[in-house]
């Protein structure tokens, strides 16, 4: 079973992506160039990534005391990806890019995420480089971002610390000016960093010439004290190896050292590290302290980093989606070929008749359709959000403003819904395989292990929920929420007679969401309103996916089996999934305190 027909349908039939070529930025492109990119990425994923997904799971990264050892397959895959131009696909021509729509770039990257998310395909590197394009100086863009886009350098984001985790206000990594004239360094105001960063993906390896760390740290005041809270956080470039103003390696190592590798449940092909900055293992220019270059203004680090974090959250959502999709395809193939059991007739089961394939059993079909509704719905949402990015960058001022608002409110959903429900899809894929699914003889257990990370990293499920209910739905006097409601109503108003019942169901669901939003905050303190933020996130996400499926169904109107399947997945979601929101929203509206008020010693 191929992913390509689904990608093609969503890009061309539903999102009408070829219409973007009418815009000046994409004027050199056509359906043919888009297809060529998809063809290339599909081929590289099939040849360089997919065959080695199990290999990189079993041959974990190892440290020999000097460097991290990764399988040769990882080196080959990452080299092929960089040579394809995908690291800079959406960038300007003068940065070595293709000026490809982000929607097409996202769709092309889906092939790699499905083939082997553990090998990785440069999400952190491109996000790192794009942040520098938005907030860096001209020289920082040329020296660091350009070399990340061309594959010479790779990038990381260094936020968490052993004692802080997601609580960035407790970051303790400190920065001090690096001597007289520190502010005049051509690569940016120069500081010395000391501290530790935990859970840093791709923090140490030999895949590229250099690794460019983007590090959050606090600048110490004249008395050596750090400003409490997030307002004192600044952002720094910390290269693993020192470079000159031309981007050439100087031959000197910066004071960044690997303290240890984390051994994970999944995503084992990607190094995950604890890094020590400035401990003196590699004295830079004769002294301890990692040399770091300020990005943007002091105290603006978190604002700058959110540029990378929001894109990373969309990328995490796509990764979770494609892991779910991989499990769905595997379990569908298994169900079509595995004989087991016999049909139940009015007279019972006849043991003399041949066994039937398990896809003929109603409950297996339920599990397959659940996976299809979660994964294809999540993929449609991810590509819709990518289309909003293109609108934000190339649309009219009003269209760009609307796209920005929609992205604000949908980013927590595009990250969280796949992370939870495509993980559930992976669990269903294991269930369809039965006992075999619980063994390493089949790939579905690895897909589940790889996917379990996605509810945790780049903002946990609870963080996404609190961001949604505590900030996004309230921002600009609720403009983003109102705009999303208007888009939903526009879809409801144009559905065919066949879908009127589902349109009414969506209208009722969204009214419940809006009522719960108001009830949660009515006269409440933040701790009360946000105590049940995760059920709110779940209900909000299910309502959004129902809307996406209703809209997709209007384009899936033929009698081709693929369209029949899409309409069935849409109906499944409305009949089996959307009704769940009532229970979730009840505890939100009532501000139920069952969990919050329970004494600790009663757990």
């Amino acid at each position: 079973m191929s992913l390509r027909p689904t990608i093609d349908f969503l890009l061309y039939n539903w999102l009408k992506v070829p219409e973007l070529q009418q815009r000046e930025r994409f004027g050199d492109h056509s359906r043919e160039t888009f297809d060529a990119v998809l063809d290339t990425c599909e081929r590289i994923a099939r040849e360089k990534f997919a065959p080695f997904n199990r290999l990189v799971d079993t041959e974990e990264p190892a440290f020999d005391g000097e460097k991290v050892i990764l399988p040769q397959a990882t080196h080959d895959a990452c080299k092929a990806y960089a040579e394809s131009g995908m690291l800079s696909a959406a960038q300007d021509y003068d940065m070595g890019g293709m000026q490809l729509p982000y929607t097409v770039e996202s769709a092309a990257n889906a092939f790699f995420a499905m083939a082997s998310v553990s090998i990785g395909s440069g999400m952190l590197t491109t996000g790192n480089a794009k942040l520098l394009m938005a907030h860096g100086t001209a020289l920082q863009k040329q020296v660091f971002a350009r070399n990340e886009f061309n594959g010479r350098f790779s990038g990381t984001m260094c936020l968490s610390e052993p004692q802080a985790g997601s609580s960035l206000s407790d970051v303790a990594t400190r920065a001090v000016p690096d001597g007289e004239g520190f502010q005049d360094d051509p690569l940016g105001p120069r500081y010395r960093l000391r501290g530790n960063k935990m859970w840093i993906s791709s923090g140490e390896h030999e895949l590229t010439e250099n690794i460019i760390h983007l590090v959050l740290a606090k600048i110490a005041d004249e008395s050596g004290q750090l400003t409490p809270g997030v307002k004192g956080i600044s952002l720094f470039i910390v290269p693993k190896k020192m470079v000159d103003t031309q981007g050439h390696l100087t031959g000197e190592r910066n004071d960044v050292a690997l303290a240890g590798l984390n051994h994970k449940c999944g995503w084992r092909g990607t190094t995950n590290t604890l890094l020590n900055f400035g401990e003196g293992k590699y004295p830079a220019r004769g002294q301890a302290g990692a040399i770091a270059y300020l990005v943007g203004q002091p105290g603006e680090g978190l604002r700058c980093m959110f540029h990378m974090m929001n894109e990373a959250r969309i990328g995490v959502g796509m990764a979770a989606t494609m892991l779910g999709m991989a499990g769905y395809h595997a379990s569908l193939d298994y169900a079509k070929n595995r004989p087991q059991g016999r049909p139940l007739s009015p007279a019972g089961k006849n043991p003399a008749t041949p066994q039937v394939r398990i896809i003929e059993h109603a409950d297996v079909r339920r599990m397959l359709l659940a996976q299809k509704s979660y994964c294809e719905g999540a993929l449609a949402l991810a590509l819709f959000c990518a289309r909003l990015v293109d609108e934000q960058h190339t649309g009219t001022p009003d269209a760009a403003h609307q796209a920005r608002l929609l992205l604000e409110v949908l980013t927590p959903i595009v990250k969280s819904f796949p992370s939870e429900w495509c993980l559930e899809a992976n669990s269903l894929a294991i269930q369809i395989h039965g006992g075999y699914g619980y063994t390493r003889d089949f790939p579905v257990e690895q897909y589940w292990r790889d996917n379990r990370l996605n509810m945790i990293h780049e903002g946990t499920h609870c963080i996404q929920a609190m961001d949604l209910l505590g900030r996004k739905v309230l921002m600009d006097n609720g403009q983003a929420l109102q705009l999303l409601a208007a888009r939903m109503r526009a879809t409801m108003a144009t559905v065919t007679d066949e879908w009127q019942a589902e349109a009414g169901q969506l209208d009722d669901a969204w009214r419940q969401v809006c009522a719960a939003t108001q009830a949660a905050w009515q006269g409440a303190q933040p701790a009360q309103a946000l105590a049940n933020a995760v059920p709110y996130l779940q209900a909000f996400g299910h309502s959004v996916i129902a809307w996406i499926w209703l809209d997709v169904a209007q384009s899936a109107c033929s009698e081709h089996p693929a369209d029949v399947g899409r309409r069935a997945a849409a109906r499944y979601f409305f009949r089996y999934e959307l009704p769940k929101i009532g229970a979730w929203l009840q505890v939100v509206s009532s501000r139920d305190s069952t969990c919050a008020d329970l004494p600790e010693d009663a757990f």
Side-chain angles (χ1 to χ4, degrees):
M1 184 176 180
S2 172
L3 173 66
R4 183 62 177 274
T6 301
I7 292 287
D8 285 348
F9 167 82
L10 292 173
L11 289 181
Y12 302 133
N13 296 60
W14 182 51
L15 291 173
K16 313 296 184 187
V17 165
E19 294 177 1
L20 286 172
Q21 69 196 60
Q22 299 170 14
R23 301 184 181 183
E24 181 180 359
R25 179 171 181 80
F26 309 126
D28 292 339
H29 289 291
S30 65
R31 169 74 185 261
E32 287 69 29
T33 61
F34 297 158
D35 280 344
V37 170
L38 297 174
D39 289 344
T40 297
C41 291
E42 187 177 21
R43 176 184 56 78
I44 295 173
R46 183 177 61 248
E47 295 176 357
K48 299 292 186 179
F49 284 69
F52 307 104
N53 191 44
R54 178 61 82 182
L55 173 71
V56 299
D57 182 64
T58 56
E59 295 186 15
E60 292 187 62
F63 183 55
D64 67 359
E66 295 293 331
K67 60 183 181 294
V68 170
I69 308 299
L70 292 167
Q72 183 60 42
T74 301
H75 290 261
D76 296 341
C78 291
K79 180 182 178 182
Y81 183 82
E83 290 176 348
S84 74
M86 285 301 296
L87 286 167
S88 60
Q91 297 306 303
D92 294 348
Y93 291 136
D94 61 10
M95 283 299 288
M98 307 179 202
Q99 293 189 188
L100 196 69
Y102 182 63
T103 315
V104 179
E105 179 189 24
S106 296
N109 277 324
F111 293 110
F112 299 103
M114 186 170 175
S116 181
V117 72
S118 187
I119 290 178
S121 55
M123 178 184 76
L124 288 174
T125 296
T126 55
N128 180 309
K130 288 177 182 178
L131 182 151
L132 293 176
M133 294 299 294
H135 301 289
T137 65
L139 195 57
Q140 287 173 347
K141 295 174 187 178
Q142 287 297 318
V143 171
F144 299 111
R146 177 180 287 276
N147 283 305
E148 289 180 280
F149 284 136
N150 65 28
R152 280 188 64 214
F153 300 168
S154 57
T156 72
M157 54 190 295
C158 301
L159 289 76
S160 297
E161 298 181 4
Q163 83 292 342
S166 298
S167 181
L168 296 181
S169 62
D170 295 315
V171 161
T173 298
R174 62 173 53 228
V176 296
D178 186 28
E180 188 175 347
F182 76 96
Q183 69 273 14
D184 299 323
D185 194 298
L187 290 176
R190 190 181 65 253
Y191 289 76
R192 293 277 181 165
L193 258 61
R194 288 174 174 82
N196 314 103
K197 292 294 180 177
M198 185 62 157
W199 312 119
I200 309 307
S201 294
S202 300
E204 179 60 40
H205 55 74
E206 302 295 321
L207 297 171
T208 53
E209 289 182 36
N210 205 355
I211 302 174
I212 309 304
H213 302 291
L214 286 179
V215 184
L216 291 181
K218 294 182 177 180
I219 299 174
D221 62 20
E222 293 181 356
S223 65
Q225 300 300 307
L226 301 181
T227 304
V230 298
K231 292 183 179 179
I233 296 176
S234 299
L235 180 64
F236 299 88
I237 297 168
V238 183
K240 172 185 172 180
K241 299 175 182 178
M242 302 305 297
V243 299
D244 62 22
T245 56
Q246 302 301 310
H248 301 135
L249 302 184
T250 66
E252 184 178 16
R253 177 78 182 260
N254 202 359
D255 197 5
V256 183
L258 176 68
L261 294 172
N262 296 309
H263 300 284
K264 302 166 292 178
C265 170
W267 281 60
R268 293 176 176 173
T270 301
T271 57
N272 189 272
T273 62
L274 170 61
L275 298 179
N276 291 341
F277 291 85
E279 69 174 357
K281 183 174 182 178
Y282 301 104
R285 297 176 184 172
Q287 60 179 292
I291 292 177
Y293 306 102
L294 182 68
V295 178
Q297 297 300 313
E300 295 290 313
L302 208 54
R303 184 182 67 84
C304 294
M305 185 63 89
F306 265 110
H307 186 102
M308 183 177 183
M309 288 169 66
N310 283 335
E311 184 164 307
R313 286 170 177 174
I314 295 174
V316 167
M318 180 64 88
T321 297
M322 300 321 299
L323 283 164
M325 194 78 79
Y328 167 56
H329 283 201
S331 62
L332 177 58
D333 180 69
Y334 185 84
K336 286 181 176 180
N337 291 284
R338 168 67 170 171
Q340 186 169 311
R342 292 168 177 81
L344 186 64
S345 69
K349 295 182 180 180
N350 182 355
T353 60
Q355 290 186 327
V356 298
R357 297 166 304 139
I358 62 173
I359 197 171
E360 298 182 44
H361 299 312
D363 195 57
V364 171
R365 291 185 168 218
R366 176 191 63 82
M367 292 187 283
L368 288 169
L369 206 49
Q371 291 180 72
K372 184 178 179 71
S373 74
Y374 300 150
C375 301
E376 292 188 14
L379 177 58
L381 175 62
L383 293 178
F384 175 76
C385 288
R387 181 65 180 78
L388 290 175
V389 172
D390 285 324
E391 199 64 35
Q392 186 178 9
H393 292 160
T394 65
T396 64
D398 183 59
H401 175 66
Q402 291 191 26
R404 181 189 67 80
L405 285 175
L406 287 170
L407 279 169
E408 289 281 3
V409 78
L410 289 176
T411 295
I413 304 304
V414 76
K415 194 275 184 184
S416 66
F417 180 89
S419 297
E420 179 173 6
W421 297 100
C422 293
L423 178 68
E424 173 62 16
N426 289 138
S427 181
L428 292 173
I430 293 173
Q431 189 71 20
I432 287 171
H433 281 73
Y436 291 108
Y438 198 62
T439 71
R440 294 193 178 187
D441 297 324
F442 289 81
V444 287
E445 60 84 25
Q446 183 184 344
Y447 297 144
W448 188 93
R449 286 188 289 105
D450 286 346
N451 216 348
R452 189 58 189 85
L453 172 65
N454 291 314
M455 285 178 68
I456 301 172
H457 72 156
E458 308 307 340
T460 65
H461 223 47
C462 180
I463 287 174
Q464 304 304 319
M466 295 176 71
D467 182 43
L468 179 66
L469 180 56
R471 192 167 72 91
K472 296 297 179 63
V473 299
L474 305 177
M475 62 183 292
D476 298 332
N477 295 315
Q479 282 189 43
L481 193 64
Q482 295 165 23
L483 180 57
L484 181 58
R487 293 291 181 96
M488 289 185 177
R489 287 194 296 270
T491 297
M492 294 179 225
T494 58
V495 299
T496 61
D497 291 344
E498 179 185 0
W499 294 95
Q500 288 296 325
E502 285 78 9
Q505 190 180 349
L506 176 60
D507 182 60
D508 178 66
W510 192 246
R511 290 178 188 275
Q512 291 182 59
V513 170
C514 292
T517 306
Q518 185 174 13
W521 284 105
Q522 190 71 42
Q525 295 297 317
Q528 295 173 304
L530 297 175
N532 292 299
V534 167
Y536 179 84
L537 178 79
Q538 291 170 315
F540 198 108
H542 263 54
S543 300
V544 166
I545 295 296
W547 165 55
I548 291 290
W549 266 122
L550 185 63
D551 202 65
V552 166
Q554 308 315 300
S555 298
C557 50
S558 78
E559 291 308 310
H560 188 280
D563 277 354
V564 173
R566 292 181 185 110
R567 295 197 300 272
R571 287 200 174 89
Y572 174 91
F573 200 86
F574 273 90
R575 295 173 185 176
Y576 287 72
E577 294 294 328
L578 192 57
K580 295 176 180 178
I581 73 167
W584 290 325
L585 292 176
Q586 175 59 36
V587 296
V588 177
S589 297
S590 65
R591 296 201 290 267
D592 187 276
S593 60
T594 301
C595 304
D597 290 348
L598 186 65
E600 183 178 330
D601 59 6
F603 278 95

